Amino acid sequence: MIIALFWTGLLGAIAFVVVTRRHRTPAAITPIAQAPDAALVHVRGKVIGDMPLRAPFTGRACVYYAVTVQVASINKRRRWRYQDGRPFAIEDDTGTATVPLGQLVVPHDVMLQERASRLSPRIVAVLKTLRVELPDSAEVTIYEASLGAGDVVE
């Protein structure tokens, strides 16, 4: 009886949290010119300025990139994550703002999914520079995300 009450209470609390989070409204977008200095606000704008980095696999000029490499063999699955970035600026119709990298989340796209033995020499060379262990029989999935000039961020 006590165990049943415990589970009922726990599942009810979890359901409450899930429903509450599902119905949370996103923060309104603040025009950059109206955003207070050093305040956490929700803004939207285009990335501008110098692009000092290159995404490892696409070679795209960018201010930030993130790569996830997943290698799956018969009895083992490993994942490597890499990212690099520099503070950057965005602009909208009202002004310009500098974006710190601390809270940055950029969705990754599946760039490539292939057997390791079929990867191009260029991809293998990039994986070696990233120190990814690559058995020939493994299935390799590469995800890459980057922010470059003109990308809209929110």
Side-chain angles (χ1 to χ4, degrees):
M1 177 72 172
I2 293 175
I3 294 174
L5 287 174
F6 168 76
W7 283 108
T8 302
L10 180 64
L11 292 175
I14 291 171
F16 175 77
V17 169
V18 168
V19 169
T20 302
R21 286 188 178 171
R22 187 178 301 157
H23 296 292
R24 188 179 295 165
T25 55
I29 295 174
T30 303
I32 291 174
Q34 295 175 8
D37 285 346
L40 185 60
V41 293
H42 187 178
V43 296
R44 177 185 301 154
K46 288 185 181 181
V47 176
I48 59 171
D50 294 335
M51 301 294 131
L53 304 172
R54 291 247 173 227
F57 292 100
T58 60
R60 182 175 188 231
C62 58
V63 291
Y64 171 85
Y65 69 82
V67 172
T68 300
V69 179
Q70 183 175 305
V71 177
S73 54
I74 293 171
N75 57 359
K76 186 171 28 170
R77 179 171 288 195
R78 299 235 11 230
R79 186 175 293 186
W80 290 264
R81 290 191 172 105
Y82 308 91
Q83 66 181 22
D84 195 2
R86 305 291 182 274
F88 61 95
I90 62 170
E91 69 178 358
D92 68 7
D93 295 337
T94 67
T96 304
T98 300
V99 179
L101 296 177
Q103 299 283 329
L104 189 61
V105 176
V106 180
H108 290 57
D109 291 326
V110 174
M111 197 191 104
L112 176 69
Q113 188 167 12
E114 187 67 74
R115 188 134 323 270
S117 59
R118 295 183 181 161
L119 294 172
S120 73
R122 189 182 77 71
I123 297 291
V124 171
V126 172
L127 290 171
K128 283 183 181 180
T129 63
L130 297 175
R131 299 182 183 182
V132 172
E133 298 170 17
L134 202 59
D136 282 344
S137 62
E139 183 76 18
V140 178
T141 306
I142 299 171
Y143 304 86
E144 184 177 82
S146 62
L147 287 178
D151 287 347
V152 175
V153 295
E154 188 173 302

